[in-house]
Every structure is written in C-alpha cells, then in structure tokens.
Amino acid sequence: MSADSNIGEEEIIAFLMDELDEDKKLMVQKALENDPRLQKQERMLADSLRLIEKSCKESIPKIAEEDWSLSESQKEKIFSKGDPELDESDNEINDHSTEGKQSRNLLFWVPLGVAACAFLIVMVSEPNKQKQIESAAIINDKTEETKDVIQGKEDLILNEDIELNQMLQNKAQEGVNLALAKRTTTEVLAMNEELKKVPSLADTFALNDSPPSPKMSLNSKVQELASLVDPKNGIKKKQNREEENLSLNLKSMPPQVDVEPEPQSLAMAKSKQKEGNSSPFALNSRMEAEGSSIFESEPRILSSAEKTSKLNVTSDPIPVPTNASSIPLVAENNQSLQKENGYDLIDRSKSVYLFTPKAKALGKVKIVNRIDQNLELLRLLETRLGKSTLLSGEDYQLRFTSDDEPVIILVGNLKRKEQEEDERDPENLNDLSSYFFEIKEAWELDEKEIRKPYNLNSPE
Amino acid sequence: MREWFDKLEKPLMIYAYQIVHDRAEAQDLVQEAFLRFSRQKDEILEPKAWLYKTLRNLAISFLRKNNRLQRTVDEDQLDFLDSMNRQVESNLITDLEKNEAISRVKHSISLLPNESAEIIRLKFDQQKSYAEISKATGLSLSNVGYKLHHIIKDIAHELESEGFFK
C-alpha cells in the first residue's frame, strides 16, 4: 500500500473490477501513474484477473470425494529419504521417521525370529515324538502310572512348554524303564543264584534273623510255619490258622516273588526226599506230591494265592514231623548240595587264572590233576611274553570262571613241582612247568564283585 | 517437512491428477516432488510455490515422455496457425505457459470452499457486481468485496511466486 495515497492491492483489485466510485477511481489512477511499484502490482493483479476470468469460462474440475493421499510405502519412502538432511528444527519429523524405521525393523525381525523359533521347535520335537512312540510301546504298569501323573500335571503347563516337558517326560520314563528292567533282571539273577547257591549255616541264620521281606522265599515261610507247629498237640487246630497266615502273607507278597521261590522249594524238597518225610520239607514234598496232578493238569505257573487256596482245600492232614528243629535239617540239606556241587563247580569251570597275593594277573593255567585240596596245574603261556617260572609262595589265587556260574576264588599255597628233565614232555605241553596248589580258602564272587565265603568240601 | 506434507499432500495430488489424469502417476509425481523437496528444503524459501512449480514441471515432463503433451501442442499450434495466421515459436511457448497458468488457476479455484468458489463464478463467469453477488449469496457487500479480494490476491501471489509473471 502506498504511503502517500493509502492505495493497496485491495484498491487496485477494486479499481480493476470497476467497483470503485469516481473519486477513489481517480485517486487510484493517479497513484498508479506516479508509483512504479503500484504499477507492477497492478500488472500482476490484472494478469491474475484475466487468468481467473479465463479459467472460470472453462469448466472448473470438480474434486471427487476420494482419498487424495499417497500410499504408506510412498510416505515411508519420502520420510526415510529425508532423514539424513533433516535439521534440528524438524525434530517432530525426525522423530516420526525414526519411529518409521523402528517399526520397519520390527516388521522385519519379529516375523523372522518367530519363524526361526518355530523351525527349531519342529526340528527338536520331531525325534522326540518318535521316541515317545517307541517308549509308549514298552511302558509297563508302573511307568503308565507315572505317565498318568505326569500327564495330569502336564495339563497345567503352558502350550509353549509342552514340547520341552514331553521330552523330559520321555527321558524320565526311559530312566524308569531302565531302572525297572535292571531291578527285575537283578532279582531274577539273584533268584537263579539263590537256587544254585549252597547256603551256608551262617547264611541260614542270617536269613532267619532277617525280617520278613518280599524276597524271603516260600521255603522260609514254610520253615517258619513248621517251627511253630507242635509236633504232637494241636497241630490240626493251629494248622488252619497258620495256613491262613501263610496265605495272607503270600498274598501280600509281590507277584514276581510268588513265582520265583517255587522251584527252589521244590528243588530243596527233592533233595530232602532222601531224608524221608519226617522233616518240615515233607510239607513241600506233600505239596508237590498232591499238587503234581494239579500242575500236570495246569502247567501254567500258579500264583501264591492260588497255591494257598489249593493248600487250604486239601483235606489230608499234614504229616507231623518228629523233629521240629529245621536248622540242622537245612544244614544237612546244604551239605548234601555241597557234596554235589562243591568241586564240580571248579571242575566245570572253563577258564582258570592265576593271580599273585597282590592280585596281579599271571595268566591262564590248566588244572591237570586234583587230589582233595591239592591241585596240580600248568601255567599256560609261561614261556611266552617273557613269563618266567614262579617260585613257591603263599596266598596265591586261582579264579575259576564259567558260563552262568559264579566266580570261585581259591586262595592257597603255590609250589613249583620239581621235575626232572626226562619227565618233561615238551611236545604236548610246550615244556611248561607244573605247580602244586594247596587250597586254604574258598571264596565266591557275587554279581557286585563282593566276596562271600564259599563252603568248599571235599567231594566224595 | 511434515508440516508441508500434511498441508499440501491433497492439493498437490489433485493438481497432478488434473494435469496427467492418472491417479497412480499423480501419486508418483507428488512423491517425487516431496523427495526433491526433502533434499533441497534448506535452500527453498517458498515451499508451497516450489512444490507446485516442481510438480508442474514433473507432470509436463511426464506428458512429454508419453507423447501426450506434444500432440496437444501440435493441435494448439495448428489451431493457432489457423487463427493467427503464422506466429513465431516463442509465442507458442508463451501460450503453453499461459495454458499452464490457466490450469494452475483452475486448480486453485477448485480447491476453494463452495461459498468462495460461487462468489468467483458469479463475478467472473456471470459478470455480477458486488451488490448482485451480495444479493445472490446473502453476504454483505463489504464481505463479498473482502472475500473476493483475498481470493484474487492469494491466486495472484501463488502465480507470482511460481514464476508465471516474469
């Protein structure tokens, strides 16, 4: 606006559109003539008015009610490209574009991480599912109970941990299976060992002193029953009660114990048949005799409860033993077994090894002769590997091993047999030295490699 | 940057669409204009004028690349030759710029509110006086003058800032 005439753009526009009265029109006209700046404004406004007039004579495009905006990707591109050149005055814009970058990074990395986790879970869980199927096939009753408990708890676990917990559960079940399998095998071997083993007198006392246990054999129960029976008075009165107790006790025993002791009692009863029916083992003999028909008709293994029930229905009275003391009879029985098995076990051994008193191995030996407790042996491979002949000494050990037999250790004095040169037969024995071994002690190694005294009697 | 984008995103999209008549192309042109603006914004004194001018140049370049502008120019040239009986090439360029200016003004009018657009139409299309416009619209005489002057001033300054008046 001109300072002199108070003429500005609005007056010029009104002048150009002929909207001023005559006085103002003259005044503006006069000002425009004198002021070049106003002249310039007047030209600009006049051109604009002409353009507007021309535009209005043409059709003015109507703006549709649409979304006149760029796509998100285009906006993102604009602001991401503009970041490096933004100055501090555009903090708001800068913050916005940073958020855009962060969101873009999250959009990239989060799905990638989720996909990677899913892949790992699938890779880990696949072999476990296979193991689960395999382990499920071999689950026994106890492991099923354990599984039920674990599965019951598993319901409370979040879905994310199901795979991991399933894997741990499978491992636990495998461990339980292994433990059960190992224990069962151990018990079975122990039972077999017990059948083959010739119990000593000390073992018998230890067995009687020990509290009743599931591992206590049926024979012990019978002995206990027999010891309580009065040989002359009241045997029939007590019989039913004792048989009831026996049946109750047997019922409480685990099934695996019920089955196993039976052959032992029968074997012991067989061995006692030579002694006559006056011993408590006559009970077993009678059971066997009367049950023979039952066993023949029912060859399956009977449970203890069934056996007891069959015993209860037997109407015949049990023969009264003349001597109720069972311990000497057991000793006699053991002795008879030892007479059968004592040195035979040594003679049956496939391999015999010689050890020094300090348990240093000296190699394999061959028993060539045995007279009572004196063994004559040849040390095999003596001339090989730099082995030298041995001097005489005490507490040497001979270890006898054989399949399915316990390891027998004989401790005794070793003495080299003096031989003349003419007596040697180098062709057959490779010129080996002969030794005498006098037995002083005998031991037996159990499954845990623990020594037990071995009652070694001279064979008849 | 963000302020200018929020303020001019829609007008620039409409302007580009009015030139190229293609929505996707208009989006690309506006995006390119803002990208260039983001790179040079420190050197730009009048962002609105700069964005409009850049967008118009981008649109013309696009039309030229697609042989759409050339045909229009040829047609205009033929019409011009027929009507004006031989003129120099510079005049063709002037007419082209004039058409651009008219297009730009039409764009500005299209963005006006309905009341303002109606006042413009009554004044320049129907050649009504302020009093007649006042009567037609119900606005006071001074209010009609005030509104008209502001619209014309704004358009004139936009055209000036965008280089239409050299």
Side-chain angles (χ1 to χ4, degrees), chain A residues 32-54:
Chain A
L32 287 173
E33 290 174 357
N34 298 327
D35 192 344
R37 189 180 62 83
L38 288 178
Q39 291 173 4
K40 186 182 178 182
Q41 284 185 337
E42 190 266 340
R43 284 196 298 272
M44 182 194 73
L45 290 171
D47 289 342
S48 297
L49 287 172
R50 280 193 290 273
L51 288 171
I52 292 171
E53 186 177 3
K54 189 172 179 62

Side-chain angles (χ1 to χ4, degrees), chain A residues 9 17 19 44 48 54-55 58-59 61 66-67 69-70 74 77-79 85 90 93 96, chain B residues 1-2 9 18 23 27-28 31 38-39 41 102 106 123 127 130 152-153 156-157 160 165:
Chain A
E9 288 180 337
M17 288 195 292
E19 292 289 343
M44 182 194 73
S48 297
K54 189 172 179 62
S55 299
E58 298 178 2
S59 62
E66 298 178 26
D67 183 18
S69 60
L70 299 181
Q74 287 174 324
K77 188 176 180 181
I78 290 169
F79 291 109
E85 298 178 6
D90 288 330
I93 300 169
H96 174 81
Chain B
M1 170 75 180
R2 185 73 189 185
E9 179 190 15
Q18 288 170 345
R23 187 180 183 85
Q27 285 181 322
D28 290 342
Q31 178 194 6
S38 67
R39 288 193 288 265
K41 71 180 187 59
I102 292 170
K106 287 163 73 175
K123 178 61 185 175
Q127 304 293 326
Y130 284 12
I152 293 168
K153 276 198 299 182
H157 283 289
E160 186 187 26
F165 306 127

Side-chain angles (χ1 to χ4, degrees), chain B residues 1-139:
Chain B
M1 170 75 180
R2 185 73 189 185
E3 178 186 359
W4 287 112
F5 181 83
D6 292 340
K7 186 177 179 180
L8 295 175
E9 179 190 15
K10 182 178 178 181
L12 289 173
M13 266 295 298
I14 293 170
Y15 184 45
Y17 179 77
Q18 288 170 345
I19 296 174
V20 300
H21 303 287
D22 187 296
R23 187 180 183 85
E25 290 299 335
Q27 285 181 322
D28 290 342
L29 293 173
V30 173
Q31 178 194 6
E32 180 61 26
F34 274 108
L35 286 172
R36 293 187 181 191
F37 174 71
S38 67
R39 288 193 288 265
Q40 304 177 35
K41 71 180 187 59
D42 292 338
E43 305 167 2
I44 297 168
L45 298 176
E46 296 180 81
K48 182 180 179 181
W50 187 93
L51 282 166
Y52 266 100
K53 188 176 179 180
T54 302
L55 181 61
R56 183 168 56 252
N57 291 335
L58 288 170
I60 291 170
S61 298
F62 169 78
L63 293 175
R64 279 175 177 165
K65 283 180 183 176
N66 291 277
N67 295 322
R68 292 162 61 178
L69 188 61
Q70 187 62 42
R71 185 173 63 249
T72 306
V73 171
D74 291 342
E75 290 172 355
D76 290 342
Q77 185 178 8
L78 289 173
D79 294 341
F80 182 75
L81 289 172
D82 289 341
S83 62
M84 301 300 292
N85 210 7
R86 289 186 181 271
Q87 289 196 4
V88 294
E89 189 177 351
S90 60
N91 289 336
L92 292 174
I93 297 171
T94 304
D95 284 350
L96 180 62
E97 293 176 347
K98 187 178 177 181
N99 289 333
E100 290 176 6
I102 292 170
S103 174
R104 177 69 179 87
V105 173
K106 287 163 73 175
H107 167 69
S108 295
I109 294 171
S110 68
L111 295 178
L112 292 174
N114 291 334
E115 186 183 64
S116 300
E118 180 65 13
I119 293 171
I120 290 291
R121 191 185 65 82
L122 291 173
K123 178 61 185 175
F124 293 96
D125 187 29
Q126 298 185 12
Q127 304 293 326
K128 302 287 185 181
S129 65
Y130 284 12
E132 292 171 332
I133 294 171
S134 173
K135 192 181 292 183
T137 59
L139 298 172

